[in-house]
Amino acid sequence: MRNLFLITLLLLFPAGIVRPAVPPGDGFAGEAAVRGVLEGIFGRDGAVTVVARPIVLDANDRGEIAKTSKSPFADDTLRVYVCRNGNAIAGYGIVDNVRGRSRDITYMLVLNPDGEVASVEILVYRESHGGEVAGSAFRDQFSGKKPGDPLVSGRDIKAISGATISSRSVTAGVAKLRAAFARVRERI
């Protein structure tokens, strides 16, 4: 009977469908995953170098970010990755968590050197439903957004039916990270 149960589980949930375990540590994606995504986006001919550049935010920084983005920035560290192709900056990645319906969603805002959105990547999705926010139909809406372009879920970014909370959370998170990047850009 136990073998029948295990075979049924394997048929229903083959290895390719099972999501990876949440990485240990501070609840963010692992360094290798972040670097892999950034190298894939900016790594033309394998010439990109990715350097972690965490920025510590003080109360004034967090207050200004919250005021600009209308989203609180509770963490004290902005997890920035600088991507270089030789001496030139190829772009930036900023990793953060937002709250979905009941669990955190780890995502990365990828910016071109001028601050335009190159991509939004969902690194770890922990909810049982609403994973469609990781799909290109949702994420591609952010690409090409320039600094100052509005980002409001339901108006500028279409929410996904059945993933409304996750859609709103990721959209607000992207707006927050864009405000944070504008605030700290000179310190990177």
Side-chain angles (χ1 to χ4, degrees), residues 123-162:
L123 300 174
V124 183
Y125 191 83
R126 297 170 179 91
E127 299 280 0
S128 60
H129 296 84
E132 296 86 355
V133 296
S136 62
F138 176 72
R139 294 180 304 102
D140 288 351
Q141 297 180 79
F142 296 95
S143 295
K145 296 287 185 182
K146 295 177 179 22
D149 285 351
L151 281 180
V152 177
S153 182
R155 188 180 72 201
D156 308 304
I157 303 294
K158 293 179 183 141
I160 295 176
S161 179

Short mmCIF file of all heavy atoms in Angstrom, two decimals, residues 123-162:
data_model
loop_
_atom_site.label_atom_id
_atom_site.label_comp_id
_atom_site.label_asym_id
_atom_site.label_seq_id
_atom_site.Cartn_x
_atom_site.Cartn_y
_atom_site.Cartn_z
N LEU A 123 12.57 35.10 -7.86
CA LEU A 123 13.63 34.16 -7.50
C LEU A 123 13.11 33.00 -6.68
O LEU A 123 13.50 31.85 -6.89
CB LEU A 123 14.75 34.88 -6.77
CG LEU A 123 15.43 36.00 -7.56
CD1 LEU A 123 16.42 36.74 -6.68
CD2 LEU A 123 16.10 35.47 -8.81
N VAL A 124 12.24 33.28 -5.70
CA VAL A 124 11.65 32.23 -4.87
C VAL A 124 10.20 32.60 -4.62
O VAL A 124 9.90 33.65 -4.05
CB VAL A 124 12.39 32.07 -3.52
CG1 VAL A 124 11.78 30.90 -2.72
CG2 VAL A 124 13.87 31.85 -3.70
N TYR A 125 9.28 31.72 -5.06
CA TYR A 125 7.85 31.92 -4.82
C TYR A 125 7.40 30.84 -3.86
O TYR A 125 7.52 29.65 -4.14
CB TYR A 125 7.06 31.84 -6.14
CG TYR A 125 5.65 32.30 -5.97
CD1 TYR A 125 5.33 33.65 -6.01
CD2 TYR A 125 4.63 31.39 -5.71
CE1 TYR A 125 4.04 34.08 -5.82
CE2 TYR A 125 3.33 31.82 -5.53
CZ TYR A 125 3.04 33.17 -5.58
OH TYR A 125 1.76 33.60 -5.38
N ARG A 126 6.91 31.24 -2.70
CA ARG A 126 6.64 30.29 -1.63
C ARG A 126 5.15 29.99 -1.42
O ARG A 126 4.82 29.13 -0.63
CB ARG A 126 7.23 30.83 -0.32
CG ARG A 126 8.73 30.98 -0.36
CD ARG A 126 9.25 31.75 0.85
NE ARG A 126 10.68 31.87 0.83
CZ ARG A 126 11.33 32.89 0.28
NH1 ARG A 126 10.67 33.86 -0.32
NH2 ARG A 126 12.65 32.93 0.31
N GLU A 127 4.27 30.70 -2.10
CA GLU A 127 2.83 30.49 -1.93
C GLU A 127 2.39 29.22 -2.66
O GLU A 127 3.04 28.77 -3.60
CB GLU A 127 2.06 31.69 -2.53
CG GLU A 127 2.36 33.01 -1.89
CD GLU A 127 1.64 33.25 -0.59
OE1 GLU A 127 0.86 32.38 -0.14
OE2 GLU A 127 1.85 34.30 0.00
N SER A 128 1.24 28.68 -2.27
CA SER A 128 0.72 27.49 -2.95
C SER A 128 -0.06 27.87 -4.21
O SER A 128 -0.23 27.04 -5.09
CB SER A 128 -0.18 26.70 -2.00
OG SER A 128 -1.26 27.50 -1.56
N HIS A 129 -0.52 29.11 -4.30
CA HIS A 129 -1.28 29.58 -5.47
C HIS A 129 -0.71 30.93 -5.93
O HIS A 129 -0.06 31.63 -5.16
CB HIS A 129 -2.76 29.76 -5.12
CG HIS A 129 -3.44 28.49 -4.76
ND1 HIS A 129 -3.40 27.97 -3.49
CD2 HIS A 129 -4.15 27.62 -5.51
CE1 HIS A 129 -4.08 26.84 -3.47
NE2 HIS A 129 -4.54 26.60 -4.67
N GLY A 130 -1.03 31.28 -7.16
CA GLY A 130 -0.65 32.61 -7.65
C GLY A 130 0.73 32.69 -8.27
O GLY A 130 1.25 33.76 -8.53
N GLY A 131 1.34 31.55 -8.53
CA GLY A 131 2.67 31.52 -9.10
C GLY A 131 2.76 32.14 -10.49
O GLY A 131 3.85 32.31 -11.02
N GLU A 132 1.62 32.54 -11.05
CA GLU A 132 1.63 33.18 -12.37
C GLU A 132 2.40 34.49 -12.39
O GLU A 132 2.79 34.95 -13.46
CB GLU A 132 0.19 33.42 -12.86
CG GLU A 132 -0.62 32.17 -13.08
CD GLU A 132 -1.32 31.66 -11.83
OE1 GLU A 132 -1.11 32.22 -10.72
OE2 GLU A 132 -2.06 30.68 -11.92
N VAL A 133 2.66 35.08 -11.22
CA VAL A 133 3.46 36.32 -11.20
C VAL A 133 4.89 36.04 -11.66
O VAL A 133 5.59 36.96 -12.06
CB VAL A 133 3.47 37.02 -9.82
CG1 VAL A 133 2.09 37.50 -9.43
CG2 VAL A 133 4.07 36.14 -8.75
N ALA A 134 5.31 34.79 -11.63
CA ALA A 134 6.65 34.43 -12.10
C ALA A 134 6.68 34.28 -13.63
O ALA A 134 7.75 34.22 -14.22
CB ALA A 134 7.12 33.14 -11.45
N GLY A 135 5.51 34.27 -14.25
CA GLY A 135 5.43 34.12 -15.70
C GLY A 135 5.74 35.42 -16.44
O GLY A 135 5.59 36.52 -15.91
N SER A 136 6.16 35.27 -17.68
CA SER A 136 6.55 36.44 -18.48
C SER A 136 5.38 37.38 -18.76
O SER A 136 5.59 38.58 -18.91
CB SER A 136 7.23 36.01 -19.78
OG SER A 136 6.34 35.25 -20.57
N ALA A 137 4.15 36.87 -18.82
CA ALA A 137 3.00 37.74 -19.10
C ALA A 137 2.88 38.85 -18.05
O ALA A 137 2.54 39.98 -18.38
CB ALA A 137 1.71 36.93 -19.15
N PHE A 138 3.18 38.53 -16.82
CA PHE A 138 3.13 39.54 -15.76
C PHE A 138 4.43 40.34 -15.71
O PHE A 138 4.43 41.56 -15.75
CB PHE A 138 2.86 38.89 -14.39
CG PHE A 138 2.90 39.87 -13.25
CD1 PHE A 138 1.89 40.79 -13.08
CD2 PHE A 138 3.97 39.88 -12.36
CE1 PHE A 138 1.94 41.71 -12.04
CE2 PHE A 138 4.02 40.78 -11.31
CZ PHE A 138 3.00 41.70 -11.16
N ARG A 139 5.56 39.66 -15.66
CA ARG A 139 6.85 40.32 -15.45
C ARG A 139 7.24 41.25 -16.60
O ARG A 139 7.87 42.28 -16.37
CB ARG A 139 7.94 39.27 -15.24
CG ARG A 139 7.79 38.47 -13.97
CD ARG A 139 8.89 37.43 -13.77
NE ARG A 139 9.03 36.50 -14.88
CZ ARG A 139 9.99 36.58 -15.82
NH1 ARG A 139 10.91 37.51 -15.77
NH2 ARG A 139 10.04 35.70 -16.80
N ASP A 140 6.88 40.89 -17.82
CA ASP A 140 7.26 41.71 -18.97
C ASP A 140 6.62 43.10 -18.97
O ASP A 140 7.09 44.00 -19.67
CB ASP A 140 6.93 41.00 -20.28
CG ASP A 140 7.86 39.82 -20.56
OD1 ASP A 140 8.87 39.66 -19.84
OD2 ASP A 140 7.56 39.05 -21.50
N GLN A 141 5.57 43.28 -18.19
CA GLN A 141 4.92 44.60 -18.11
C GLN A 141 5.85 45.67 -17.52
O GLN A 141 5.67 46.85 -17.77
CB GLN A 141 3.67 44.53 -17.24
CG GLN A 141 2.58 43.63 -17.77
CD GLN A 141 1.41 43.64 -16.84
OE1 GLN A 141 0.60 44.57 -16.84
NE2 GLN A 141 1.29 42.61 -16.01
N PHE A 142 6.84 45.25 -16.75
CA PHE A 142 7.76 46.19 -16.10
C PHE A 142 8.90 46.62 -17.02
O PHE A 142 9.45 47.71 -16.85
CB PHE A 142 8.36 45.56 -14.84
CG PHE A 142 7.35 45.26 -13.78
CD1 PHE A 142 6.79 43.99 -13.66
CD2 PHE A 142 6.97 46.23 -12.87
CE1 PHE A 142 5.86 43.70 -12.68
CE2 PHE A 142 6.04 45.96 -11.87
CZ PHE A 142 5.48 44.69 -11.78
N SER A 143 9.26 45.78 -17.97
CA SER A 143 10.40 46.04 -18.85
C SER A 143 10.22 47.36 -19.60
O SER A 143 9.15 47.64 -20.13
CB SER A 143 10.59 44.90 -19.84
OG SER A 143 10.93 43.72 -19.15
N GLY A 144 11.30 48.13 -19.63
CA GLY A 144 11.29 49.40 -20.34
C GLY A 144 10.76 50.57 -19.52
O GLY A 144 10.82 51.71 -19.99
N LYS A 145 10.25 50.32 -18.32
CA LYS A 145 9.77 51.42 -17.48
C LYS A 145 10.97 52.27 -17.07
O LYS A 145 11.98 51.77 -16.60
CB LYS A 145 9.05 50.90 -16.23
CG LYS A 145 7.78 50.13 -16.53
CD LYS A 145 6.67 51.04 -16.98
CE LYS A 145 5.38 50.25 -17.13
NZ LYS A 145 4.29 51.07 -17.61
N LYS A 146 10.84 53.55 -17.28
CA LYS A 146 11.92 54.49 -16.99
C LYS A 146 11.73 55.10 -15.61
O LYS A 146 10.61 55.09 -15.08
CB LYS A 146 11.93 55.58 -18.06
CG LYS A 146 12.28 55.05 -19.44
CD LYS A 146 12.21 56.17 -20.48
CE LYS A 146 12.57 55.73 -21.86
NZ LYS A 146 12.48 54.38 -22.23
N PRO A 147 12.80 55.64 -15.03
CA PRO A 147 12.64 56.32 -13.75
C PRO A 147 11.55 57.38 -13.86
O PRO A 147 11.50 58.13 -14.83
CB PRO A 147 14.02 56.95 -13.50
CG PRO A 147 14.96 56.09 -14.27
CD PRO A 147 14.20 55.66 -15.50
N GLY A 148 10.66 57.40 -12.91
CA GLY A 148 9.57 58.37 -12.91
C GLY A 148 8.29 57.85 -13.53
O GLY A 148 7.22 58.42 -13.31
N ASP A 149 8.36 56.78 -14.35
CA ASP A 149 7.14 56.19 -14.91
C ASP A 149 6.30 55.64 -13.76
O ASP A 149 6.83 55.01 -12.85
CB ASP A 149 7.45 55.05 -15.88
CG ASP A 149 7.98 55.51 -17.22
OD1 ASP A 149 7.95 56.74 -17.48
OD2 ASP A 149 8.43 54.65 -18.01
N PRO A 150 4.98 55.85 -13.80
CA PRO A 150 4.13 55.34 -12.72
C PRO A 150 4.05 53.82 -12.72
O PRO A 150 4.13 53.19 -13.78
CB PRO A 150 2.77 55.96 -13.01
CG PRO A 150 2.80 56.31 -14.45
CD PRO A 150 4.22 56.56 -14.82
N LEU A 151 3.93 53.25 -11.54
CA LEU A 151 3.77 51.80 -11.37
C LEU A 151 2.67 51.55 -10.35
O LEU A 151 2.94 51.46 -9.15
CB LEU A 151 5.06 51.16 -10.87
CG LEU A 151 6.18 50.90 -11.86
CD1 LEU A 151 7.37 50.26 -11.16
CD2 LEU A 151 5.72 50.04 -13.00
N VAL A 152 1.46 51.46 -10.80
CA VAL A 152 0.34 51.19 -9.91
C VAL A 152 -0.36 49.93 -10.40
O VAL A 152 -0.76 49.86 -11.58
CB VAL A 152 -0.66 52.38 -9.88
CG1 VAL A 152 -1.86 52.06 -9.01
CG2 VAL A 152 0.05 53.64 -9.38
N SER A 153 -0.49 48.97 -9.51
CA SER A 153 -1.17 47.71 -9.85
C SER A 153 -2.63 48.00 -10.20
O SER A 153 -3.31 48.75 -9.51
CB SER A 153 -1.09 46.74 -8.68
OG SER A 153 -1.69 45.52 -9.02
N GLY A 154 -3.08 47.41 -11.30
CA GLY A 154 -4.45 47.61 -11.74
C GLY A 154 -4.61 48.78 -12.69
O GLY A 154 -5.63 48.91 -13.36
N ARG A 155 -3.61 49.65 -12.74
CA ARG A 155 -3.65 50.78 -13.67
C ARG A 155 -2.50 50.71 -14.67
O ARG A 155 -2.71 50.58 -15.86
CB ARG A 155 -3.62 52.10 -12.90
CG ARG A 155 -3.86 53.31 -13.81
CD ARG A 155 -3.84 54.61 -13.06
NE ARG A 155 -2.45 54.90 -12.69
CZ ARG A 155 -2.09 55.70 -11.71
NH1 ARG A 155 -3.01 56.28 -10.97
NH2 ARG A 155 -0.83 55.93 -11.45
N ASP A 156 -1.28 50.77 -14.16
CA ASP A 156 -0.10 50.72 -15.02
C ASP A 156 0.39 49.29 -15.25
O ASP A 156 0.99 48.99 -16.27
CB ASP A 156 1.05 51.54 -14.41
CG ASP A 156 0.58 52.94 -14.05
OD1 ASP A 156 0.08 53.64 -14.94
OD2 ASP A 156 0.71 53.31 -12.87
N ILE A 157 0.15 48.45 -14.28
CA ILE A 157 0.53 47.03 -14.33
C ILE A 157 -0.73 46.22 -14.08
O ILE A 157 -1.38 46.39 -13.05
CB ILE A 157 1.60 46.68 -13.26
CG1 ILE A 157 2.85 47.55 -13.42
CG2 ILE A 157 1.93 45.20 -13.29
CD1 ILE A 157 3.64 47.32 -14.70
N LYS A 158 -1.09 45.38 -15.03
CA LYS A 158 -2.30 44.56 -14.91
C LYS A 158 -2.05 43.43 -13.92
O LYS A 158 -1.10 42.66 -14.06
CB LYS A 158 -2.70 43.99 -16.26
CG LYS A 158 -3.16 45.05 -17.23
CD LYS A 158 -3.53 44.43 -18.56
CE LYS A 158 -3.91 45.58 -19.50
NZ LYS A 158 -3.43 45.37 -20.85
N ALA A 159 -2.94 43.34 -12.93
CA ALA A 159 -2.85 42.25 -11.94
C ALA A 159 -3.33 40.96 -12.58
O ALA A 159 -4.08 40.97 -13.56
CB ALA A 159 -3.70 42.59 -10.72
N ILE A 160 -2.92 39.87 -12.01
CA ILE A 160 -3.32 38.55 -12.50
C ILE A 160 -4.48 38.04 -11.65
O ILE A 160 -4.38 38.01 -10.41
CB ILE A 160 -2.14 37.56 -12.44
CG1 ILE A 160 -1.06 38.02 -13.40
CG2 ILE A 160 -2.59 36.15 -12.75
CD1 ILE A 160 0.18 37.18 -13.36
N SER A 161 -5.56 37.66 -12.30
CA SER A 161 -6.70 37.10 -11.60
C SER A 161 -6.28 35.83 -10.88
O SER A 161 -5.62 34.97 -11.46
CB SER A 161 -7.82 36.79 -12.60
OG SER A 161 -8.92 36.23 -11.94
N GLY A 162 -6.61 35.73 -9.63
CA GLY A 162 -6.20 34.58 -8.83
C GLY A 162 -4.86 34.79 -8.14
O GLY A 162 -4.46 33.98 -7.32
#
